Amino acid sequence: MTDTTTYHDQFTARKAAVLVPTYNNAKTLEGVLRDVLSYTTHVIVVNDGSTDNTAAILDAFPEIQRVEYISNKGKGIALRRGFRFAIEQGYDYVITMDADGQHFASDLPVLLEKLETERNAIIIGARNLQQENMPGKNTFANKFSNFWFYVETGLKGPDTQSGYRLYPVHAMRKMRFWCTKYEFEIEVLVRSAWKGLKIDWAPIKVYYPPAEERVSHFRPFRDFSRISVLNTVLVLITFLYIKPRDFIRFLFKAESWRMMWYDHVLNKEETNALKAASVGLGVFMGIVPIWGFQMVTALALAVLLRLNKALVFMSCHVSLPPMIPFVIFASFATGKIWVKDGSILPPLTSNLTLDMIKQNLFQYLTGAVTLAIIAGVVAFLLVYILLAIFRKDPVKQAG
């Protein structure tokens, strides 16, 4: 039996509430609310324009706090309005639960206890994705979401699609979001991670009814398309702004240089050749003309070739946005080697023909690949020579 007073006092002390967005969940909503109320009366329900008897069900629970509007806006808007209402009521945290009966209120203490050590983190309830009745499409979608979340944030997690989450709304009050539907739950994680909020997970239970009893408002084609567009935008922002921003911040931290020097440059378990190859690959990938995919390709090759990922990552930033014009100019100038009538500078004229465009594009691409190879080889040789002079090679020591 639940000790209601104990848990309710914990919610009160931590200024936390349970937030339940709902849209036409009349069959399950009453059970969900009774379950939650056995733990706390700090409950906010957002009625996202339901057209069934949701309002009548809510009338039977005068102790809950309600946010309501007439037309359905989508889960993203429901959560955003719920966050805003919670902040206005003085709450610092909300735990979101779905109204379809999949989540168990018995897991509320699991998330609540995380506040003892994590005061500014989003805690996601990680589901067992191998359990009975779990839809196969959910497992695929979650793996798909986990992959892009890793690309966009560098963070690995078991479940990025669970709606059972603890949000530190006090730390998110100045954030402005774009998304209005299901994709909001991806946006909020990625952009919060960019902001510096920790993302963590805690194991929870989940109930998936048989397929014939399942109710879902997820529209596969339309919603998946929205999610794909969002991920495309987030990836572009990641590689054009977030990664360079984080790298520049890294450069201005003394501890970053100490970590790089002791953990990666002086690492006794790696040979001089491996370290030099890591830098050479990074420089090569930073210049090769696959803009937008340089970093992810470089890291994939580093894993495949078992190189030092940190050195590859750092060296790849040879093409930071401030350096891009110089890299493009050097690539075009280098391409003159392969184009008989090429010039050092691109033609600054409005009378461009298709043949001229093709020639200049060919000159740039061949020049960029050539420059990438030359710069990568030079970086490899330079680093190898410097390491041979100032650092003993573990292979030679072993011999």
Side-chain angles (χ1 to χ4, degrees), residues 87 91-92 168-176 195:
I87 292 171
Y91 292 110
D92 288 339
V169 290
H170 69 96
M172 302 165 60
R173 63 175 66 240
K174 294 183 179 180
M175 296 182 68
R176 298 293 180 267
K195 184 180 174 64

Side-chain angles (χ1 to χ4, degrees), residues 224-262:
F224 190 77
S225 297
R226 294 171 70 97
I227 290 171
S228 298
V229 170
L230 172 64
N231 277 317
T232 300
V233 173
L234 293 176
V235 167
L236 288 174
I237 295 174
T238 296
F239 289 106
L240 294 180
Y241 173 67
I242 298 298
K243 293 294 184 183
R245 180 205 67 180
D246 291 346
F247 183 68
I248 292 173
R249 289 178 178 177
F250 174 89
L251 293 179
F252 283 92
K253 293 181 180 178
E255 61 269 23
S256 299
W257 288 100
R258 285 194 294 269
M259 180 272 293
M260 183 64 65
W261 179 256
Y262 288 107

